[in-house]
Amino acid sequence: MNDEDLRLAPRTRAADLLAWAAEQGRTPVAEGPLHAVLALLELGESRMHDGWPELTSDAVEHLLYERLHLYVQPEPEEDPLAYGEAVRLLIDHQRAARRLNAKRQERLHAEAEWQGEVAAGLLRRADLVTWPRLYALLLHAHGVDVADGSAVRDWLTGFGGLAEEERLAAYEALVPAGWLDEPDEQGWGPGRVLSVGMATDGARRLLEQGLMRRSYRNLAELTALGRPMPDELTGDFGHFEDAAVDAALDLFGEWTVPGLPRLLVAEFPELAPEPGQEEIDAYLTQLPAEE
């Protein structure tokens, strides 16, 4: 697999942006949230100029209101408002680069500030978590060293040995412990588990599609230069799709706990079920009929 040709994962210019902020004497912005913001903006189909995403009101709202809560889980010591701060830093950088006029800078700054506050609230909502985010919270709540892959796997193995009722109770316990806000009145039952699985499946597929679109845009540049297409794209697309799946899992891990999403898919699918249509239909048939 020629990764340099396929160029699936975004190569953000976070380091350049942090260096610019330091030169300007600005308050530092956390590097992790900045990487996530730049990558999600690019994968959300923002137009790119010299490696920087084009900022619009729609792009800012799409990022902070619709996408962020699908993918990122701040670490316990990390401020969830850092994502909005990262967007505002990018806005100011683009103004300095004359990509924005003063009026657009002011408007986008105001939108990013309040949308960043909204995003911080969405990250606490129990009804919006995905499996990698939920298990990242559980690992932090139970004091697991998330930098130790063996410790993460061992904890998941132990958690998988619990009865389903005990696992649901562990999800519920995140609320009184202060990790999540109160869910709706349904709490953690089969419907909630189903919705988390559906959200996770949809989020990962969106990420895979964004990575593939990004790769195709870069491959168009190769074609324009007269270079041949990589072998993975000249016939069977299976290898390319597999590479996108792997890249999506890696990114999901960067934004939650490294390696966790892959473990949930490959080794512990029973802990993070992603229902198909058959499971969804079976659940719906059990619901009481509406009067």
Side-chain angles (χ1 to χ4, degrees):
M1 182 67 65
N2 190 333
D3 182 64
E4 185 55 37
D5 279 351
L6 291 178
R7 291 189 64 188
L8 281 162
R11 292 158 167 79
T12 71
R13 298 187 63 179
D16 293 340
L17 189 50
L18 289 171
W20 176 82
E23 290 171 2
Q24 301 298 311
R26 296 178 59 110
T27 302
V29 172
E31 186 173 359
L34 185 59
H35 272 292
V37 160
L38 290 172
L40 285 169
L41 281 170
E42 183 173 351
L43 295 176
E45 300 186 52
S46 290
R47 294 177 60 185
M48 302 294 290
H49 297 283
D50 299 326
W52 301 103
E54 181 178 281
L55 291 169
T56 64
S57 294
D58 286 345
V60 170
E61 180 178 8
H62 186 64
L63 167 72
L64 294 175
Y65 186 71
E66 298 180 22
R67 287 293 179 93
L68 196 70
H69 67 264
L70 294 174
Y71 299 109
V72 307
Q73 183 52 58
E75 295 186 4
E77 68 278 5
E78 197 170 71
D79 185 357
L81 293 174
Y83 298 95
E85 293 172 359
V87 175
R88 297 200 298 277
L89 176 62
L90 180 59
I91 291 168
D92 291 345
H93 176 270
Q94 292 299 278
R95 168 60 179 158
R98 299 184 179 180
R99 295 285 188 188
L100 301 172
N101 61 35
K103 186 175 181 180
R104 286 186 63 200
Q105 177 194 24
E106 183 179 0
R107 184 180 72 249
L108 287 173
H109 224 283
E111 291 172 355
E113 183 170 4
W114 74 264
Q115 289 279 7
E117 293 174 357
V118 170
L122 296 178
L123 288 171
R124 290 192 55 83
R125 283 181 50 175
D127 61 327
L128 294 180
V129 294
T130 51
W131 287 125
R133 286 193 56 221
L134 182 63
Y135 277 96
L137 283 169
L138 285 167
L139 289 164
H140 289 306
H142 287 81
V144 179
D145 180 2
V146 296
D148 184 341
S150 296
V152 170
R153 179 182 279 105
D154 289 346
W155 186 88
L156 290 172
T157 300
F159 194 71
L162 300 178
E164 182 180 7
E165 294 77 9
E166 294 176 290
R167 296 201 299 269
L168 293 177
Y171 306 151
E172 292 271 14
L174 291 170
V175 174
W179 294 90
L180 288 174
D181 291 337
E182 288 282 354
D184 59 29
E185 64 278 0
Q186 295 179 359
W188 278 94
R192 171 75 63 235
V193 170
L194 192 76
S195 68
V196 174
M198 292 171 62
T200 303
D201 176 73
R204 197 173 64 251
R205 290 179 188 274
L206 279 173
L207 199 55
E208 293 166 7
Q209 292 165 10
L211 289 163
M212 293 174 75
R213 284 194 303 269
R214 181 187 183 280
S215 186
Y216 280 126
R217 288 197 299 268
N218 288 300
L219 290 168
E221 297 176 8
L222 294 182
T223 303
L225 294 171
R227 294 178 58 187
M229 296 284 273
D231 291 341
E232 291 82 9
L233 299 181
T234 57
D236 183 3
F237 285 80
H239 293 307
F240 180 48
E241 293 171 339
D242 290 344
V245 169
D246 286 340
L249 288 173
D250 288 341
L251 277 177
F252 229 145
E254 285 183 26
W255 301 330
T256 53
V257 169
L260 173 63
R262 190 180 301 278
L263 283 172
L264 292 175
V265 169
E267 298 185 33
F268 300 95
E270 73 283 356
L271 296 183
E274 297 179 20
Q277 192 59 50
E278 183 177 347
E279 290 86 355
I280 295 171
D281 291 341
Y283 171 74
L284 292 176
T285 61
Q286 298 174 7
L287 296 178
E290 294 185 4
E291 297 182 359

